[in-house]
């Protein structure tokens, strides 16, 4: 199985190609905007490095968020377009799934910092059991995450700097989402059950205009 992973939900254009779980090629360029302009060229270069064409790709895996609103939309739209053009299925992988290391056993929480300015410090979180998600991606305020960890102890993965401030005595395993990990996760999933749809974990900040009275 050859999987092309795409991750633009964070501050980079991140791509990887896996063949039967082994990374053939990967590229990542830091950027907070402009992924739509960079993605086609980077993908073409990645395929050339792996000596493959689009027709060789068995499935596409795209990180659906939560993360950058624009980056999520760019990545999902691009992956869906490739899927439509090639006929290969496109699977959606959350940012938290794409951050959880392979082989995790037991109960775990992945927490990636969302809002960083006090007093509204929040984390995107998702719970797992031996590598399988046991709940959807959600956004929690820092105090709610502290309470969750206190009530149900989990192995904690995620942003070490942000989490250390909330859990000074906890063991925190550094983790961040990657295209390579998204591709690896997609290898074991049913495409029919994992359509590529944006995962925002919160309502949009923009408000619809109100009618004038």
């Amino acid at each position: 199985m050859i999987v092309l992973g795409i991750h633009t939900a964070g501050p980079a254009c991140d791509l990887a190609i896996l063949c039967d779980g082994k990374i053939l090629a990967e590229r990542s360029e830091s950027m907070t905007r402009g992924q739509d302009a960079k993605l086609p060229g980077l993908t073409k270069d990645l395929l050339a490095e792996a000596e493959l064409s689009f027709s060789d790709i068995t499935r596409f895996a795209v990180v659906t968020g939560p993360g950058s609103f624009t980056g999520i939309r760019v990545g999902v739209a691009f992956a869906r377009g490739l899927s439509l053009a090639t006929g290969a299925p496109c699977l959606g992988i959350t940012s938290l799934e794409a951050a959880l290391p392979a082989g995790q056993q037991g109960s775990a929480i992945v927490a990636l910092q969302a809002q960083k300015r006090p007093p509204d410090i929040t984390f995107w979180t998702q719970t797992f059991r031996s590598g399988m998600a046991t709940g959807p991606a959600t956004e929690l305020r820092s105090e709610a995450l502290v309470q969750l960890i206190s009530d149900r102890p989990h192995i904690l993965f995620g942003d070490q700097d942000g989490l250390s401030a909330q859990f000074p005595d906890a063991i925190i395993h550094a983790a961040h989402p990657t295209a390579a990990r998204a591709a690896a996760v997609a290898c074991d999933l049913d495409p029919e059950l994992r359509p590529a749809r944006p995962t925002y974990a919160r309502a949009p900040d923009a408000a619809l205009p109100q009618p004038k009275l």
Side-chain angles (χ1 to χ4, degrees):
M1 180 182 293
I2 300 176
V3 186
L4 171 59
I6 300 167
H7 172 34
T8 57
C13 245
D14 185 21
L15 300 167
I17 296 177
L18 272 65
C19 179
D20 296 331
K22 179 182 178 181
I23 297 176
L24 295 183
E26 59 183 334
R27 292 198 174 202
S28 182
E29 288 194 15
S30 297
M31 62 184 71
T32 56
R33 61 183 65 186
Q35 290 99 328
D36 55 336
K38 275 286 186 179
L39 260 177
L42 284 177
T43 305
K44 181 179 178 180
D45 292 344
L46 190 72
L47 287 167
E49 181 181 341
E51 300 182 345
L52 297 171
S53 66
F54 281 116
S55 62
D56 296 313
I57 303 301
T58 309
R59 59 179 55 180
F60 300 94
V62 60
V63 176
T64 59
S68 162
F69 180 83
T70 301
I72 292 169
R73 293 174 65 87
V74 166
V76 170
F78 185 68
R80 282 178 171 176
L82 293 178
S83 174
L84 184 63
T86 64
C90 179
L91 290 81
I93 310 298
T94 71
S95 301
L96 297 312
E97 289 175 307
L100 185 69
Q104 179 269 323
Q105 297 296 313
S107 298
I109 288 180
V110 179
L112 305 174
Q113 195 158 11
Q115 299 188 72
K116 301 181 180 181
R117 295 182 179 179
D120 297 319
I121 296 176
T122 64
F123 291 86
W124 290 309
T125 66
Q126 193 166 14
T127 56
F128 297 85
R129 178 72 181 177
S130 297
M132 299 298 294
T134 57
T138 59
E139 184 176 13
L140 295 179
R141 295 178 67 90
S142 58
E143 54 268 28
L145 179 58
V146 170
Q147 188 63 51
L148 176 61
I149 296 293
S150 299
D151 291 343
R152 294 188 298 160
H154 291 73
I155 302 171
L156 187 57
F157 295 87
D159 294 326
Q160 279 189 316
D161 291 342
L163 289 169
S164 294
Q166 308 301 320
F167 303 92
D169 300 322
I171 297 174
I172 300 165
H173 303 272
H176 64 278
T178 67
R181 182 62 188 140
V185 171
C187 290
D188 298 322
L189 298 177
D190 183 348
E192 294 294 329
L193 301 178
R194 297 303 296 265
R197 296 172 182 155
T199 303
Y200 297 124
R202 79 163 77 129
D205 294 329
L208 292 174
Q210 298 298 314
K212 295 182 180 180
L213 299 178

